[in-house]
Amino acid sequence: SQRERRYHIEEGIKFFNKGMQSGDCLYFDDAIDEFNTAVSIERKDFFSWYYLGMIYLYSKNHVNLDKAVSAFDTYIHYADALSQHHYLFDEALLMKAECKYLQNDADSAYALIQGLVATNDKAALRAVKYLSASSDMWSAAGCGNIESTVAEESHDGDAGT
Protein backbone atom coordinates (compact mmCIF):
# COMPACT_ATOMS: atom_id res chain seq x y z
CA SER A 1 0.00 0.00 0.00
CA GLN A 2 1.03 3.63 -0.44
CA ARG A 3 0.94 4.14 3.32
CA GLU A 4 3.39 1.29 3.82
CA ARG A 5 5.66 2.62 1.05
CA ARG A 6 5.63 6.08 2.60
CA TYR A 7 6.55 4.57 5.98
CA HIS A 8 9.59 2.82 4.45
CA ILE A 9 10.69 6.00 2.67
CA GLU A 10 10.46 8.01 5.91
CA GLU A 11 12.37 5.35 7.83
CA GLY A 12 14.97 5.15 5.08
CA ILE A 13 15.50 8.92 5.19
CA LYS A 14 15.85 8.80 9.00
CA PHE A 15 18.51 6.07 8.76
CA PHE A 16 20.23 7.86 5.88
CA ASN A 17 20.42 11.14 7.82
CA LYS A 18 21.61 9.34 10.98
CA GLY A 19 24.32 7.61 8.96
CA MET A 20 25.43 10.91 7.42
CA GLN A 21 25.55 12.61 10.83
CA SER A 22 27.26 9.82 12.75
CA GLY A 23 29.36 8.15 10.06
CA ASP A 24 28.05 4.79 11.31
CA CYS A 25 27.65 2.62 8.21
CA LEU A 26 25.20 0.30 9.96
CA TYR A 27 22.58 3.03 9.57
CA PHE A 28 23.12 2.86 5.82
CA ASP A 29 22.41 -0.90 5.90
CA ASP A 30 19.04 -0.09 7.46
CA ALA A 31 18.43 2.73 4.97
CA ILE A 32 19.15 0.38 2.04
CA ASP A 33 16.67 -2.15 3.44
CA GLU A 34 13.98 0.50 3.84
CA PHE A 35 14.48 2.03 0.38
CA ASN A 36 14.58 -1.40 -1.28
CA THR A 37 11.30 -2.26 0.45
CA ALA A 38 9.77 0.99 -0.82
CA VAL A 39 10.80 0.28 -4.43
CA SER A 40 9.53 -3.29 -4.13
CA ILE A 41 6.12 -1.78 -3.35
CA GLU A 42 6.36 0.77 -6.17
CA ARG A 43 9.24 0.59 -8.62
CA LYS A 44 8.60 4.19 -9.74
CA ASP A 45 9.47 5.55 -6.28
CA PHE A 46 12.14 7.88 -7.56
CA PHE A 47 12.97 9.35 -4.11
CA SER A 48 14.12 5.93 -2.90
CA TRP A 49 16.21 5.48 -6.05
CA TYR A 50 17.87 8.85 -5.41
CA TYR A 51 18.80 7.93 -1.84
CA LEU A 52 20.05 4.49 -2.88
CA GLY A 53 22.32 6.22 -5.39
CA MET A 54 23.64 8.54 -2.70
CA ILE A 55 24.42 5.62 -0.40
CA TYR A 56 26.23 3.71 -3.15
CA LEU A 57 28.22 6.83 -4.00
CA TYR A 58 29.14 8.11 -0.53
CA SER A 59 28.88 5.42 2.18
CA LYS A 60 32.39 4.03 2.64
CA ASN A 61 31.14 0.48 3.29
CA HIS A 62 28.69 0.53 0.40
CA VAL A 63 30.53 2.32 -2.42
CA ASN A 64 29.53 0.75 -5.71
CA LEU A 65 29.65 3.17 -8.62
CA ASP A 66 27.78 0.85 -10.99
CA LYS A 67 24.89 0.54 -8.52
CA ALA A 68 24.98 4.29 -7.91
CA VAL A 69 24.78 5.04 -11.66
CA SER A 70 21.94 2.54 -12.02
CA ALA A 71 20.02 4.08 -9.11
CA PHE A 72 20.48 7.63 -10.44
CA ASP A 73 19.48 6.45 -13.94
CA THR A 74 16.30 4.94 -12.52
CA TYR A 75 15.58 8.11 -10.55
CA ILE A 76 16.10 10.28 -13.66
CA HIS A 77 13.95 7.97 -15.79
CA TYR A 78 10.94 7.96 -13.45
CA ALA A 79 11.22 11.59 -12.37
CA ASP A 80 11.33 12.61 -16.03
CA ALA A 81 8.51 10.27 -17.07
CA LEU A 82 6.31 11.55 -14.25
CA SER A 83 7.29 15.20 -14.94
CA GLN A 84 8.72 15.56 -11.45
CA HIS A 85 11.61 17.91 -12.27
CA HIS A 86 12.53 19.47 -8.96
CA TYR A 87 15.68 20.23 -7.03
CA LEU A 88 16.65 16.56 -6.76
CA PHE A 89 16.54 16.12 -10.54
CA ASP A 90 19.55 18.41 -11.06
CA GLU A 91 21.26 16.82 -8.06
CA ALA A 92 20.73 13.34 -9.52
CA LEU A 93 22.34 14.47 -12.79
CA LEU A 94 25.26 15.94 -10.84
CA MET A 95 25.67 12.77 -8.77
CA LYS A 96 25.53 10.53 -11.84
CA ALA A 97 28.13 12.75 -13.50
CA GLU A 98 30.36 12.44 -10.43
CA CYS A 99 30.08 8.66 -10.65
CA LYS A 100 31.10 8.77 -14.31
CA TYR A 101 34.05 11.01 -13.44
CA LEU A 102 35.15 8.58 -10.70
CA GLN A 103 34.88 5.78 -13.27
CA ASN A 104 37.42 7.72 -15.40
CA ASP A 105 34.80 8.82 -17.91
CA ALA A 106 35.12 12.60 -17.75
CA ASP A 107 33.65 13.02 -21.24
CA SER A 108 30.35 11.40 -20.18
CA ALA A 109 30.41 13.31 -16.89
CA TYR A 110 30.66 16.61 -18.73
CA ALA A 111 27.98 15.65 -21.27
CA LEU A 112 25.54 14.87 -18.45
CA ILE A 113 25.78 18.30 -16.84
CA GLN A 114 26.44 20.49 -19.85
CA GLY A 115 22.81 21.68 -19.91
CA LEU A 116 22.94 22.70 -16.24
CA VAL A 117 26.05 24.90 -16.44
CA ALA A 118 24.25 28.17 -17.25
CA THR A 119 21.86 27.94 -14.29
CA ASN A 120 23.66 25.88 -11.66
CA ASP A 121 26.87 27.09 -10.01
CA LYS A 122 27.76 23.61 -8.76
CA ALA A 123 27.43 22.26 -12.30
CA ALA A 124 29.62 25.05 -13.65
CA LEU A 125 32.39 24.24 -11.17
CA ARG A 126 32.19 20.53 -11.91
CA ALA A 127 32.19 21.21 -15.65
CA VAL A 128 35.60 22.83 -15.27
CA LYS A 129 36.86 19.79 -13.35
CA TYR A 130 35.42 17.34 -15.89
CA LEU A 131 36.71 19.31 -18.87
CA SER A 132 40.20 19.44 -17.40
CA ALA A 133 40.18 15.64 -17.27
CA SER A 134 38.43 15.21 -20.61
CA SER A 135 40.25 13.67 -23.55
CA ASP A 136 38.28 15.97 -25.86
CA MET A 137 39.71 19.06 -24.20
CA TRP A 138 43.31 17.92 -24.59
CA SER A 139 42.68 16.92 -28.20
CA ALA A 140 41.00 20.24 -28.99
CA ALA A 141 43.96 22.05 -27.45
CA GLY A 142 46.34 20.12 -29.71
CA CYS A 143 47.75 18.15 -26.79
CA GLY A 144 46.46 14.70 -27.68
CA ASN A 145 49.66 13.15 -26.39
CA ILE A 146 50.90 15.41 -23.63
CA GLU A 147 54.10 13.42 -23.07
CA SER A 148 55.25 13.84 -26.67
CA THR A 149 54.32 17.54 -26.60
CA VAL A 150 56.44 18.09 -23.49
CA ALA A 151 59.31 16.09 -25.00
CA GLU A 152 59.15 18.17 -28.21
CA GLU A 153 59.19 21.41 -26.23
CA SER A 154 62.21 20.19 -24.22
CA HIS A 155 64.01 19.21 -27.40
CA ASP A 156 63.22 22.56 -29.06
CA GLY A 157 64.63 24.34 -26.03
CA ASP A 158 67.92 22.43 -26.34
CA ALA A 159 68.39 23.55 -29.96
CA GLY A 160 68.83 27.20 -29.01
CA THR A 161 71.69 26.61 -26.57
Side-chain angles (χ1 to χ4, degrees), residues 142 146-161:
I146 197 73
E147 289 86 8
S148 65
T149 303
V150 170
E152 287 173 17
E153 288 177 2
S154 295
H155 182 65
D156 290 343
D158 292 341
T161 56

Side-chain angles (χ1 to χ4, degrees), residues 22-36:
S22 70
D24 184 347
C25 290
L26 291 177
Y27 288 115
F28 291 116
D29 290 337
D30 294 326
I32 290 170
D33 289 343
E34 296 295 339
F35 292 128
N36 280 332

Side-chain angles (χ1 to χ4, degrees), residues 14-94:
K14 286 179 194 173
F15 286 124
F16 176 86
N17 288 336
K18 191 70 171 169
M20 292 296 286
Q21 293 166 355
S22 70
D24 184 347
C25 290
L26 291 177
Y27 288 115
F28 291 116
D29 290 337
D30 294 326
I32 290 170
D33 289 343
E34 296 295 339
F35 292 128
N36 280 332
T37 300
V39 297
S40 73
I41 295 168
E42 184 172 330
R43 180 162 170 72
K44 297 178 298 231
D45 178 12
F46 50 89
F47 283 110
S48 292
W49 287 113
Y50 175 82
Y51 281 103
L52 285 167
M54 293 294 286
I55 292 168
Y56 293 130
L57 177 58
Y58 288 115
S59 172
K60 65 181 176 184
N61 287 358
H62 301 91
V63 170
N64 183 322
L65 296 176
D66 291 333
K67 283 186 174 184
V69 167
S70 178
F72 290 127
D73 275 341
T74 305
Y75 169 89
I76 292 164
H77 171 77
Y78 286 126
D80 189 45
L82 300 170
S83 299
Q84 297 292 320
H85 289 237
H86 46 74
Y87 71 98
L88 284 182
F89 193 84
D90 288 358
E91 283 297 313
L93 286 171
L94 288 167

Side-chain angles (χ1 to χ4, degrees), residues 5-13 34-35 38 45 47-48:
R5 180 181 68 88
R6 184 178 179 145
Y7 168 79
H8 290 291
I9 293 169
E10 290 171 356
E11 289 298 299
I13 291 171
E34 296 295 339
F35 292 128
D45 178 12
F47 283 110
S48 292

